[in-house]
Amino acid sequence: MSVYSIFFYLIAALMILSTALAVTRKNMVHAVLFLVISFLASALLFFLLGAPLLGILEVVIYAGAIMVLFLFVVMMIRIRATEGSGFLLWHYLGAGGLSALYVAACLLLVRHSGPGTGAPMPAAVAAPADFGLYLFERHWLGIEIVSLLLLVALIGVLHLGLSPAGQRSGKGGPY
Amino acid sequence: MTNWTLFAPELFMLAAAGLFFVLSLSRPQPARDYAVARVAAAVGLSLTAWAVGAEGVLFAGTYRVDLFSQVFKVLITTGFFLVICLCAELSGVADKRHSEFYLLLAVCTLALMLLTSCVHLLAIYLALELSSYSLYILVCLRRGREKGLESGLKYFIIGACASALMLFGFALLYGTGLSLHLADLARELPGRIHEPVVLIGFVLGLSGFLFKIAAFPFHFWAPEVYEAAPNQAAAYIATVSKAGGIAVLMRITAAAGAGGDQLVGFLMVVSVASMTLGNLAAIAQQDLKRLLAFSSVAHAGYVMIAILSFNAMGLSSGVFYALSLLVMKLTCFMIVIQVSSGGSNIKINDLAGLHIRAPVLAAALMLALFGLAGIPPTIGFTAKLLVFTAAVESGYLWLVIVAMINVVISLYYYLQVLKAAYFLEPKESAPPVRVPASLNFLALVLIFLTVAAGIYPRPFIAAAQAMTFGIIG
């Protein structure tokens, strides 16, 4: 076992553990923090696999931006820890069944794949500068569309976020 | 060097959206917003019509301006203009939200125009999302928030699921080494469509477009959204957004060449399920907008027949069908909007005595319903005839028979609506239908189009054939 494999198994275990903790915590803030650890671990995996840019993006976007946003929302609306799990028995059965199916498929895959059965994947390593140049040269229309999308989303959030009382100050609607 | 004149219609639509953004920051004035919107839509339409012959490739090959995209852009801006014309009494939306309403309509129109021209799956996905997001918010703008909010959320969640599936499909395609550029995809895909990964990737990749045209299994949103959206927004979703969806669906499926048995089989399931479910559910509806929603689902099924035929006839009939849907659905929604008072929803029975209250509208409604049911001599009959001919040409006679049975089922509920409009006595309390002269004129134009394209469809068919020739390039 090389030192890389040891790192891999360590990180993978950390990922599974923190994700498991994230979905079982009653306190939402703790759950989000554990999810951040899980994202950091997956970023480490990307580093290990030789994709540093992807790793950094994972840290900046997922662990950094999105999760901090979640944290803000959770803290702002102050969700209290609920009593009981809120799930019924058949929820557990359904989820367990699907997961078992998934694990079985994975085990089957592992069994049938060994040395010599896999197709070699070409290594694609892009320096951040190359990636940025490619993105902005070839797909800048897409980036412009995304910027418009953000504007529209902002309008939507503003509309939804306005207090309903302010909305109803006009004359009564059809409903 | 980018030739910006090719991009002029889109740039104008962007500028119009910017204008409404500025207007939304100032004191709300519905009359001013409406006037500006009408002018902007009219200029946009004429600019698009002027650019109809433009051809070229922009943005490092990801954007293709050709006859197919340009004609669809004309259809889309025409629909946009007509929907704006119906906004004179935008009472379903709070007064201070009118400029946002027009802003979102303009952005959505821009997104649909981009959608018809994009030839890279990444750009297509983004344009699709942009149009969908604008529509989610348009639905939520309905005055009296709860209902609109709930359906808007439902629309959003179903749309997000469809997008996730679509992205997963694209990723699978990319993972097999296929290019995401449609021109390259069209070269490589027909030879590899039988590989399971490629097939699954392609089928999942279609889900976003099936959502857009409200085809099975992504049709659940249609009735609720049509019911809860402001009437004008529902009209937009039923017409303009459908035309954009059909355009992009046709371009993408055309990349699959002759299709392959499994892909055709899947599309057949989608088609048969959409039309059967749509027609059977429509029978039970009392709310006119819900009825139109289910009829949209059924029509998505008919459109799928045109697409799964995978021949030249199928492509041109698909374009013709998109045109016919635009005309007929707009006519129906024009009646919905004019008859409803204060932007409320109307039941079928509210149409009672329409032929006395508003004779021109009643005549337009009759022809549009005949068209939707496929009765000659309307545009809808010709469209169905073309689609069914395409299917028979590819040897799917049984599919045509199933579709014919569906057409008979659909006759029942279309005639129910017609019965209400022509044979029921109006209630004493029924509010009068005020029809401005301009709308009467619009109704006459739509009647003329419905009949003229039904009796003499040759120029339209020729145009559709010219458009779809070399759709991939």
Side-chain angles (χ1 to χ4, degrees):
Chain A
M1 193 183 271
S2 72
V3 68
Y4 282 117
S5 337
I6 295 173
F7 270 126
F8 175 81
Y9 285 114
L10 266 178
I11 296 169
L14 180 67
M15 236 171 111
I16 293 175
L17 190 71
S18 56
T19 312
L21 283 170
V23 294
T24 49
R25 290 310 88 188
K26 287 259 158 56
N27 187 327
M28 288 289 279
V29 177
H30 293 177
V32 171
L33 288 177
F34 277 118
L35 205 55
V36 170
I37 295 178
S38 159
F39 280 136
L40 288 179
S42 58
L44 279 180
L45 266 192
F46 281 129
F47 272 111
L48 201 65
L49 294 173
L53 181 64
L54 212 54
I56 293 198
L57 286 180
E58 176 98 12
V59 172
V60 172
I61 297 172
Y62 281 85
I66 297 180
M67 279 299 125
V68 170
L69 192 72
F70 270 38
L71 211 55
F72 272 141
V73 172
V74 169
M75 287 179 164
M76 267 168 70
I77 58 180
R78 289 187 206 159
I79 300 172
R80 255 176 280 135
T82 45
E83 293 301 314
S85 64
F87 292 113
L88 301 172
L89 179 66
W90 67 271
H91 287 156
Y92 281 112
L93 283 180
L98 279 178
S99 310
L101 207 69
Y102 184 61
V103 170
C106 280
L107 286 179
L108 214 67
L109 208 65
V110 171
R111 210 181 126 82
H112 285 279
S113 66
T117 54
M121 261 170 75
V125 177
D130 295 342
F131 176 74
L133 275 178
Y134 175 80
L135 190 65
F136 282 89
E137 266 174 11
R138 305 287 302 276
H139 291 295
W140 65 277
L141 176 69
I143 293 168
E144 299 303 325
I145 299 177
V146 169
S147 64
L148 258 182
L149 188 60
L150 288 177
L151 173 74
V152 169
L154 190 67
I155 294 171
V157 168
L158 276 177
H159 173 70
L160 295 182
L162 281 177
S163 69
Q167 277 285 303
R168 291 215 193 86
S169 61
K171 59 180 192 298
Y175 285 103
Chain B
M1 191 59 213
T2 309
N3 183 1
W4 286 102
T5 49
L6 292 181
F7 203 54
E10 288 87 338
L11 281 180
F12 175 79
M13 210 45 89
L14 183 65
L19 181 64
F20 286 119
F21 182 70
V22 174
L23 287 183
S24 72
L25 299 177
S26 64
R27 197 179 292 279
Q29 287 175 22
R32 171 203 65 187
D33 292 344
Y34 174 62
V36 173
R38 268 221 315 210
V39 172
V43 175
L45 173 57
S46 26
L47 205 57
T48 322
W50 167 76
V52 77
E55 266 184 40
V57 173
L58 295 172
F59 306 120
T62 55
Y63 199 79
R64 194 175 125 105
V65 177
D66 53 10
L67 194 59
F68 179 77
S69 72
Q70 295 310 92
V71 172
F72 261 105
K73 279 175 202 166
V74 171
L75 283 187
I76 287 167
T77 41
T78 309
F80 174 59
F81 175 68
L82 293 180
V83 170
I84 292 278
C85 285
L86 297 178
C87 286
E89 280 180 60
L90 194 53
S91 39
V93 179
D95 281 351
K96 55 180 168 182
R97 293 278 167 269
H98 281 199
S99 37
E100 278 97 334
F101 183 85
Y102 296 125
L103 163 63
L104 291 169
L105 273 189
V107 171
C108 189
T109 309
L110 169 66
L112 291 170
M113 287 163 81
L114 292 173
L115 199 55
T116 57
S117 266
C118 286
V119 287
H120 193 283
L121 290 185
L122 203 59
I124 289 178
Y125 165 74
L126 289 169
L128 192 75
E129 285 296 276
L130 181 59
S131 73
S132 300
Y133 271 74
S134 322
L135 293 180
Y136 302 149
I137 301 165
L138 276 174
V139 173
C140 294
L141 279 178
R142 177 77 176 250
R143 197 201 289 271
R145 291 159 60 90
E146 289 76 15
K147 187 87 182 166
L149 209 57
E150 188 193 320
S151 322
L153 202 62
K154 192 169 185 183
Y155 192 19
F156 172 69
I157 289 174
I158 298 177
C161 290
S163 296
L165 285 179
M166 178 166 74
L167 273 184
F168 185 56
F170 288 172
L172 283 181
L173 285 183
Y174 191 64
T176 54
L178 287 167
S179 161
L180 290 187
H181 195 288
L182 278 186
D184 300 331
L185 200 61
R187 265 196 303 279
E188 300 162 14
L189 193 60
R192 300 186 57 187
I193 193 74
H194 295 286
E195 294 174 30
V197 187
V198 174
L199 181 70
I200 292 175
F202 192 75
V203 164
L204 287 179
L206 291 182
S207 55
F209 312 114
L210 296 183
F211 164 75
K212 202 83 201 147
I213 65 168
F216 176 86
F218 298 103
H219 64 281
F220 300 101
W221 58 271
E224 254 108 306
V225 165
Y226 279 40
E227 189 186 6
N231 290 343
Q232 284 85 351
Y236 189 88
I237 295 172
T239 54
V240 186
S241 144
K242 287 273 149 38
I246 293 172
V248 69
L249 194 58
M250 281 171 59
R251 220 199 257 273
I252 289 198
T253 44
D261 294 340
Q262 292 98 338
L263 181 63
V264 171
F266 167 76
L267 293 177
M268 275 182 182
V269 171
V270 169
S271 163
V272 171
S274 302
M275 49 194 183
T276 314
L277 270 174
N279 280 325
L280 290 182
I283 291 176
Q285 302 308 321
Q286 284 304 311
D287 187 306
L288 191 53
K289 279 202 290 179
R290 281 184 81 93
L291 186 140
L292 287 172
F294 279 112
S295 116
S296 283
V297 176
H299 282 283
Y302 301 134
V303 170
M304 294 309 291
I305 298 181
I307 288 171
L308 66 83
S309 299
F310 283 110
N311 53 25
M313 181 83 190
L315 283 174
S316 52
S317 67
V319 175
F320 193 84
Y321 210 98
L323 169 73
S324 75
L325 271 185
L326 192 76
V327 171
M328 299 181 301
K329 278 276 153 64
L330 255 175
T331 316
C332 290
F333 271 98
M334 185 167 82
I335 280 91
V336 171
I337 290 167
Q338 286 316 115
V339 173
S340 78
S341 55
S344 59
N345 285 359
I346 56 169
K347 301 254 178 282
I348 293 175
N349 288 340
D350 293 340
L351 289 177
L354 188 70
H355 69 293
I356 305 167
R357 293 152 71 197
V360 181
L361 286 191
L365 179 67
M366 177 170 77
L367 279 166
L369 289 174
F370 278 174
L372 287 171
I375 297 173
T378 57
I379 188 170
F381 167 74
T382 316
K384 281 207 175 61
L385 186 69
L386 289 174
V387 168
F388 293 166
T389 317
V392 171
E393 221 173 71
S394 287
Y396 306 131
L397 185 62
W398 68 269
L399 190 63
V400 173
I401 294 172
V402 173
M404 291 304 285
I405 295 172
N406 265 293
V407 167
V408 175
I409 298 173
S410 72
L411 255 181
Y412 171 75
Y413 60 85
Y414 289 131
L415 289 183
Q416 284 281 31
V417 178
L418 210 57
K419 187 186 102 186
Y422 272 86
F423 296 111
L424 289 188
E425 287 300 315
K427 277 179 280 185
E428 296 293 319
S429 59
V433 180
R434 276 171 296 134
V435 188
S438 60
L439 269 186
N440 261 336
F441 175 71
L442 182 60
L444 286 173
V445 170
L446 286 172
I447 290 176
F448 172 75
L449 249 179
T450 311
V451 178
I455 295 175
Y456 189 61
R458 199 172 294 274
F460 295 97
I461 296 173
Q465 277 165 346
M467 274 165 72
T468 49
F469 182 73
I471 180 172
I472 289 297

